[in-house]
Structures are given as structure tokens and as C-alpha cells.
Amino acid sequence: MSDEEATAAAAAAPANFDDDDDVTPGYVAPAKKTVEEILNNDADDEALVRYKETLLGPGAEGITGGPLEVKVLKMTFISEGRDPIDLDLTGDLSKLKEADKIVTIKEGCEYTLKFQFSVSNQIVSGLRFRQDISRKSIPVNKLNIMLGSFGPSPEPHEYTMQPDEAPKGMLARGKYHAVCKFIDDDKTVYREWEWFFKIEKDW
């Protein structure tokens, strides 16, 4: 099977996420609290005040507290030696699978992924990033990263993952298919998308 055929087959295949993989060992989801409950709790409780400031920010009193909305806006591939690559996650996600959107990654390079997302009205608890990577329809790697809990904010939140190293060697070169999603403690999926990258000897 050629790389082009593998890309087409992977794009047509359904995402295959296992719900058990969405659980972080040892993690216990915190008790649910609405913005209203947090704002109305005892202001003399120093721990609660610090929690409120961290999660809601100093402008919390201006938040109306409607239904929770989480919008995943952008994923950025960052590596020294080349300009950052932004993947827009707000529009037609099928375009990320087009040939001109395939991200070239230099073998053995150190890289990281940065995400930008917005949270409105309520607190999202236990937000995580999942990514399943395959090559020619064969699973090769998966990520399950806990981002944390985030309160509503007029400005987008940003989260940068720990650096990772791309595979290297002749056998590692070629095209890869990644299926990603943002999910929370309630297993609510806020965004799911696919993208392709290829490992090459150089940029």
C-alpha cells in the first residue's frame, strides 16, 4: 500500500477511541460546582478565595453562569529550526486532511504541541487531550494528557504540552495519521479532529 493509499484509507476509517483510555490512573474527579455556587460560598474561606481566583480570575463577579461552552480554537506544532505551524480547529476540519495540510516533521527533532481554547459560563473539569496515531492503519502511539480544570474567561486559555521527540531512522520515515479529541470528566467531547504528518530526514 502506498503512502497516498494509506492516507485515504486512514481518513475514511472511523475514530477508534477506547473509553477506558480516558481515565487517568489515580485521578478522582472533583465535586461539581457551578460558578454561582463558588461565587456565593463563604468569602472568609482563604482556600476557597484562592481557588476562585485561580479558576475564575479577578473578574469572576461579572460572569453570568449560563451553560458550559468549550471551544477548541487552535493546535500549534512548535519545534526549533522552523516556524510554528497552526492548525485552525474552528472551521471545516476536513480540510486538515488535505495534502497541503500535511505537517512535515524532521526525524529526531524535539517538538511540542500548544492548544488554544475558550471556556464560557461554567467550569470545565478534568479537560484532557487524547491522540491516537497510526501508520498504514496500524496503531503506533497514543497520548492521554490531562490539561486540568479551567474557569470561564474573556480571553482564550493556552496549554503547552511537555516536549517530545519525533521518531528517527529510515523505518520511522513516512506518513502518519492522528485522531484527536478534547474530552472532560463527564466524557463530553468538545472537539474531535484528524490530521496527518510525515517524518522526513529534514524539514
Side-chain angles (χ1 to χ4, degrees), residues 6-17 72 75 86-103 113 115 129-134 137 176-182 189 191-197:
T7 298
N16 185 26
F17 287 106
V72 186
M75 180 176 79
D86 291 330
L87 298 183
D88 180 9
L89 302 177
T90 62
D92 182 359
L93 297 180
S94 66
K95 293 183 177 180
L96 297 179
K97 296 183 283 186
E98 295 176 355
D100 63 344
K101 297 295 184 182
I102 297 175
V103 176
L113 297 176
F115 301 97
F129 169 68
R130 277 289 315 280
Q131 178 171 256
D132 284 12
I133 299 175
S134 61
S137 300
Y176 294 78
H177 174 223
V179 181
C180 309
K181 68 177 177 179
F182 262 54
V189 177
R191 203 60 163 158
E192 189 167 357
W193 69 96
E194 301 172 51
W195 64 294
F196 289 88
F197 62 90

Side-chain angles (χ1 to χ4, degrees), residues 129-149:
F129 169 68
R130 277 289 315 280
Q131 178 171 256
D132 284 12
I133 299 175
S134 61
R135 184 180 182 192
K136 297 184 178 179
S137 300
I138 300 173
V140 295
N141 192 22
K142 65 174 57 180
L143 292 174
N144 182 12
I145 306 297
M146 171 63 74
L147 279 62
S149 298

Side-chain angles (χ1 to χ4, degrees), residues 15-129:
N16 185 26
F17 287 106
D18 186 343
D19 285 343
D20 291 339
D21 290 335
D22 292 326
V23 178
T24 299
Y27 171 74
V28 178
K32 296 291 183 183
K33 287 184 179 290
T34 66
V35 170
E36 292 88 344
E37 288 173 326
I38 293 175
L39 293 177
N40 293 331
N41 271 325
D42 192 353
D44 294 331
D45 187 330
E46 291 186 9
L48 184 59
V49 170
R50 287 196 298 272
Y51 172 73
K52 185 170 71 172
E53 289 177 347
T54 299
L55 210 51
L56 303 180
E61 287 72 11
I63 296 171
T64 59
L68 172 64
E69 293 183 11
V70 177
K71 296 179 180 179
V72 186
L73 307 174
K74 182 170 62 174
M75 180 176 79
T76 303
F77 175 88
I78 302 171
S79 182
E80 186 176 350
R82 65 154 305 135
D83 293 334
I85 301 172
D86 291 330
L87 298 183
D88 180 9
L89 302 177
T90 62
D92 182 359
L93 297 180
S94 66
K95 293 183 177 180
L96 297 179
K97 296 183 283 186
E98 295 176 355
D100 63 344
K101 297 295 184 182
I102 297 175
V103 176
T104 298
I105 300 176
K106 180 181 178 180
E107 63 177 2
C109 76
E110 186 176 274
Y111 71 93
T112 188
L113 297 176
K114 183 171 74 172
F115 301 97
Q116 188 180 84
F117 55 95
S118 65
V119 179
S120 301
N121 304 322
Q122 298 290 341
I123 295 165
V124 59
S125 178
L127 189 64
R128 69 180 70 237
F129 169 68

